[in-house]
Amino acid sequence: MISGDYARIGYMISHLTHTPKTTRIPQAPRKFYFLEYFYILLKGVSTSNQAEKIFDYFLELKHQYRLGESKYKKLTEDSHESTNQMARYRYTFDQVVSEATDYKLISINNGEIELTSEGRDALQIYETKGTIEFNHYLFQLMEEKHHEPFRYLIETCYKVNAKKSGLLIFPIYSAYRLGIERDSLKASKDIKKYFQTLQNRIEEDISKHLGKNISLKKENNDLIQKIAEEGLLPTSDSQAFDPKKYNTILRRSRDFWLKYFLQTLYEYQISLDSFEIWAYRAKQIGLLHITEFYPDPSFYGKVVYPLSVIKTVSKSESFQMFYEYRDASKLYLHQPSWKNENTQEEFVQSLHQAYLDVRQLAKTYFVSLPNVKERVCYAMKIPEYLFDQFLSQAYNNKRLRISISLEVDKLPDETKVMYLRREPVMVDGKYRNIIAIDLA
């Protein structure tokens, strides 16, 4: 799966001079993911300085932009808002207001909320230059205010797994994913057998993707003891466990191993919640990629890898200087240009290979475009918004030796799902989510 060819990206990184790593621990963010929340707040403040009116407009735009409280966009809204739902909406609003105040995008005087000059600048950037530039503007405010959280994420990635360009894995395996039938888990010994199988699989993943051979026997025993102490698992191997506690046991196991990877194996000195929020914000900005949907049956869980480097000097045209720190080191984004014929050729080859890989798994002519997108972004180390741009260019470029067919299966609106976990791609003003490719 994630092995791939690292020669190209490794070559480019080797041409960037070394920079000392930062040691400051970033501050925790407020608890929301989507950077569009800042825009809908600023838009609301531009129409009124009364908190309740701003909240009403914020709520209207929240539904319009389908912004959920999780990292996924929400597709459905209840016709009648419950008290609990309104409390969550109010909490999110207060969090956005608080963080926007930190960045001096708004000011609060005598209960009235007003845009600052920085807030007006941010609003204008969004409405004249678009989401990407708006997110880049927010990046600077976040990096300066919260002790360089994005630098901390990126540098730690490379420190942990420099040989594979900063790749991090977070395995998440249910019993089903390991080939264990739910009905076979009846007694305490069956759960322990599942945990042992899980331990073995995680050790294999660490060896394969991180190049480390370690034993997790102690950690597995600690997990079992912890679950038993919480009364979720009987101490006697032959005793039956309560089936109602099955999902809770799986959640405890998942959280245990995610925390182990983050704080013990990777030595991040921040909480799992903070890591996820900063990482998904970084994904929107284009600094790194994080996904739970890499389409390969040999691995299941989260994959994280940088799309940027922090060095002193770049000699690669594909890396653009994005931000300069106080110690003179610079953040470079990997932003290959479509005008470069080598970029066009690499994209076409990566797109076709990704299509063949996904088609082999799906065994159909038209395959999932999001699955193809995941593979191309990984192969080229580009953010999702560049993939969208490049796909549109390739689709409309008749000179390229590739024939791309884009269609719509069922759009999320036509399904019964509650959250939009992966967005379709907009090409020629239409959303597409399945693709077929032939080389000319």
Side-chain angles (χ1 to χ4, degrees):
M1 157 201 165
I2 316 170
S3 54
D5 180 8
Y6 295 88
R8 179 185 57 80
I9 192 74
Y11 174 82
M12 290 188 288
I13 291 174
S14 69
H15 281 64
L16 307 178
T17 60
H18 177 72
T19 274
K21 294 176 173 57
T22 182
T23 56
R24 297 185 75 186
I25 306 304
Q27 297 173 340
R30 303 303 192 278
K31 291 189 176 182
F32 62 92
Y33 292 85
F34 291 111
L35 299 180
E36 289 122 310
Y37 273 124
F38 288 106
Y39 167 69
I40 67 173
L41 172 66
L42 297 178
K43 189 67 175 177
V45 178
S46 72
T47 65
S48 173
N49 58 12
Q50 301 301 311
E52 285 307 310
K53 291 183 178 180
I54 296 170
F55 174 70
D56 290 341
Y57 195 55
F58 178 88
L59 207 56
E60 179 184 335
L61 291 180
K62 179 184 185 301
H63 295 333
Q64 181 180 325
Y65 283 80
R66 296 172 169 176
L67 303 179
E69 280 67 54
S70 74
K71 54 186 169 288
Y72 302 118
K73 291 196 172 181
K74 197 167 186 180
L75 283 175
T76 61
E77 296 292 345
D78 295 333
S79 56
H80 301 288
E81 306 286 6
S82 69
T83 302
N84 288 338
Q85 286 173 321
M86 290 303 295
R88 292 200 302 271
Y89 296 158
R90 177 70 68 175
Y91 174 79
T92 301
F93 175 75
D94 291 342
Q95 292 275 294
V96 182
V97 167
S98 178
E99 192 165 347
T101 304
D102 286 347
Y103 304 144
K104 295 181 171 55
L105 295 171
I106 60 173
S107 62
I108 303 176
N109 300 300
N110 299 321
E112 294 187 344
I113 305 176
E114 298 177 346
L115 286 177
T116 63
S117 59
E118 291 87 350
R120 286 189 289 273
D121 289 344
L123 193 58
Q124 184 179 24
I125 289 172
Y126 188 99
E127 295 183 339
T128 59
K129 297 183 179 180
T131 307
I132 295 172
E133 291 300 322
F134 178 77
N135 291 346
H136 288 177
Y137 181 81
L138 291 177
F139 158 83
Q140 299 180 53
L141 304 179
M142 294 176 185
E143 199 74 333
E144 292 168 3
K145 181 65 181 180
H146 295 289
H147 299 169
E148 302 174 356
F150 300 114
R151 179 178 186 174
Y152 180 70
L153 287 183
I154 295 164
E155 288 187 335
T156 306
C157 282
Y158 287 116
K159 178 182 178 181
V160 169
N161 198 3
K163 291 184 178 180
K164 292 192 175 180
S165 303
L167 171 73
L168 304 184
I169 59 167
F170 293 88
I172 305 172
Y173 295 102
S174 64
Y176 172 78
R177 291 284 176 183
L178 296 175
I180 300 173
E181 294 294 333
R182 169 69 180 86
D183 292 342
S184 69
L185 301 174
K186 298 178 180 179
S188 179
K189 64 180 180 181
D190 300 323
I191 294 293
K192 292 178 181 179
K193 182 179 179 181
Y194 156 59
F195 282 161
Q196 182 61 57
T197 305
L198 176 60
Q199 173 195 328
N200 295 340
R201 184 59 176 269
I202 292 175
E203 289 174 351
E204 292 172 6
D205 284 340
I206 291 174
S207 176
K208 179 179 180 180
H209 304 303
L210 303 178
K212 297 180 180 180
N213 295 314
I214 59 178
S215 171
L216 299 175
K217 182 177 180 180
K218 177 184 180 301
E219 286 74 16
N220 189 45
N221 289 338
D222 290 344
L223 171 60
I224 293 173
Q225 181 178 350
K226 183 178 180 181
I227 290 178
E229 289 175 350
E230 291 181 16
L232 297 172
L233 192 66
T235 55
S236 172
D237 285 352
S238 60
Q239 188 174 351
F241 76 94
D242 185 350
K244 295 179 181 178
K245 297 178 180 179
Y246 174 75
N247 289 333
T248 302
I249 290 174
L250 259 59
R251 284 196 299 271
R252 292 287 194 278
S253 171
R254 178 202 62 194
D255 294 345
F256 176 89
W257 287 115
L258 288 176
K259 185 176 180 180
Y260 166 80
F261 270 80
L262 181 72
Q263 298 180 342
T264 302
L265 196 59
Y266 300 151
E267 298 183 354
Y268 276 98
Q269 298 180 51
I270 55 177
S271 70
L272 188 59
D273 283 346
S274 290
F275 174 84
E276 288 227 327
I277 293 174
W278 284 128
Y280 278 98
R281 289 184 180 187
K283 177 181 180 179
Q284 295 169 67
I285 297 167
L287 303 173
L288 60 76
H289 189 67
I290 177 171
T291 179
E292 301 169 32
F293 302 105
Y294 196 91
D296 193 299
S298 68
F299 177 85
Y300 193 77
K302 292 181 189 294
V303 174
V304 180
Y305 54 87
L307 305 173
S308 53
V309 292
I310 298 173
K311 299 292 177 180
T312 305
V313 177
S314 168
K315 297 181 181 180
S316 170
E317 294 181 356
S318 295
F319 282 91
Q320 296 182 8
M321 206 278 278
F322 182 63
Y323 183 77
E324 183 170 0
Y325 292 95
R326 291 185 177 88
D327 64 358
S329 58
K330 301 176 182 67
L331 172 61
Y332 293 91
L333 296 187
H334 187 223
Q335 298 278 299
S337 171
W338 183 257
K339 295 179 181 179
N340 188 314
E341 291 186 0
N342 291 334
T343 299
Q344 295 180 25
E345 181 179 352
E346 183 180 5
F347 180 76
V348 168
Q349 290 179 352
S350 298
L351 184 69
H352 184 242
Q353 185 59 54
Y355 167 72
L356 294 178
D357 291 343
V358 176
R359 181 179 174 181
Q360 185 176 19
L361 295 172
K363 303 187 185 304
T364 58
Y365 183 63
F366 275 93
V367 303
S368 164
L369 179 54
N371 282 352
V372 172
K373 183 176 181 176
E374 288 283 5
R375 288 179 176 271
V376 175
C377 286
Y378 178 75
M380 293 187 67
K381 298 297 188 296
I382 57 174
E384 290 186 336
Y385 62 77
L386 267 191
F387 174 90
D388 295 353
Q389 295 173 15
F390 288 175
L391 181 63
S392 293
Q393 293 281 2
Y395 181 72
N396 291 303
N397 192 332
K398 306 304 180 185
R399 295 184 298 102
L400 297 177
R401 296 182 303 146
I402 188 171
S403 175
I404 302 173
S405 299
L406 297 170
E407 299 292 344
V408 177
D409 188 8
K410 277 190 176 182
L411 286 175
D413 288 355
E414 302 171 319
T415 69
K416 295 181 180 180
V417 298
M418 181 173 292
Y419 289 99
L420 177 59
R421 294 165 71 86
R422 293 196 290 176
E423 295 190 54
V425 177
M426 177 77 76
V427 179
D428 284 353
K430 296 180 180 178
Y431 281 117
R432 322 293 182 104
N433 56 16
I434 55 175
I435 185 172
I437 295 175
D438 291 303
L439 290 182

